[in-house]
Amino acid sequence: MRIAVAFEDGEIFQHFGHTKHFKFYDLENSKITKTEVVETYGSGHGLLAEFLNGYGADILICGGIGSGAKQALANKGIDVFGGVKGSADDAVDAYINGTLCYNPDAKCNHSHSDNHKCNDEDCRHRSCL
């Protein structure tokens, strides 16, 4: 199994479509066997599902994510665990242990202006401003 986490500075990045890096975790028998951080090179909303599929992701852990991206990931067979905050490593450990707190309805609505509004009061979408 391969888990992808939207990643920035050790934390879960809070806007899937602007993710510049993913940290991948390879698992065998519920143990992490390998990790790697991969740059997306600006793939953007529409191409990130294809990017993750190309890297063999089975699971995505992220912060905010739109319904179109969720559908694109579902079409690739990638299960999404959105609305997750904090350390990427801790989130993967929680997933392995069956204790990951996530929001199946996590999303972020963007105006892409100086008046950026997000459903998450702890928004860190600096790249949208």
Side-chain angles (χ1 to χ4, degrees), residues 32-61:
I32 298 170
T33 59
K34 178 184 173 186
T35 65
E36 69 176 311
V37 176
V38 177
E39 188 170 343
T40 65
Y41 296 103
S43 294
H45 292 82
L47 297 177
L48 288 175
E50 188 66 40
F51 178 88
L52 291 174
N53 188 57
Y55 274 90
D58 300 296
I59 303 287
L60 169 67
I61 297 174

Side-chain angles (χ1 to χ4, degrees), residues 1-6 16 22-24 45-62 65-82 95 102 104:
M1 173 187 291
R2 187 162 236 212
I3 299 173
V5 179
F16 171 75
F22 285 100
K23 186 169 182 180
F24 290 97
H45 292 82
L47 297 177
L48 288 175
E50 188 66 40
F51 178 88
L52 291 174
N53 188 57
Y55 274 90
D58 300 296
I59 303 287
L60 169 67
I61 297 174
C62 62
I65 184 167
S67 60
K70 284 182 187 178
Q71 186 59 52
L73 290 159
N75 290 344
K76 299 290 183 188
I78 299 171
D79 293 326
V80 176
F81 295 83
Y95 175 82
Y102 69 98

Side-chain angles (χ1 to χ4, degrees), residues 88-99:
D89 292 349
D90 290 349
V92 171
D93 286 342
Y95 175 82
I96 292 168
N97 294 320
T99 60

